[in-house]
Amino acid sequence: MSWILVPLQYLYLIWRAQANIAKANAAAGKPNHNRLLKKAVKAINACESMQVQFPEVTNRIDIARNEEALRFEIKK
């Protein structure tokens, strides 16, 4: 069961962290900047926690994401 739920949760947390980082960068100098950074840090900490608990699953996902990013860079 963890081979189904952990990847989905891990990908969601990565997406959430990236979205909050992008929002925080857009809100630089505004009052909600710190709140968005705190949300991003919370999601990043959750990702790191999952990396410690389920290294074989998260490593496989990270390798696939890195390969996809490299393919995308090569196509540019």
Side-chain angles (χ1 to χ4, degrees):
M1 188 69 161
S2 69
W3 285 96
I4 296 170
L5 297 178
V6 171
L8 293 175
Q9 184 178 9
Y10 184 65
L11 288 171
Y12 173 75
L13 290 171
I14 290 171
W15 173 78
R16 207 59 236 152
Q18 290 173 342
N20 283 331
I21 289 169
K23 287 180 185 177
N25 284 339
K30 296 180 183 173
N32 62 343
H33 177 72
N34 286 336
R35 180 180 57 82
L36 291 170
L37 281 179
K38 286 179 186 178
K39 281 184 167 183
V41 168
K42 187 176 177 182
I44 291 168
N45 288 339
C47 286
E48 291 175 354
S49 174
M50 289 189 75
Q51 287 173 338
V52 170
Q53 290 175 343
F54 307 101
E56 59 281 342
V57 178
T58 57
N59 287 342
R60 186 172 47 99
I61 292 170
D62 288 338
I63 289 169
R65 290 181 72 238
N66 289 337
E67 288 174 351
E68 183 179 341
L70 285 173
R71 275 191 236 110
F72 181 73
E73 276 298 312
I74 291 172
K75 287 182 181 179
K76 280 187 175 180

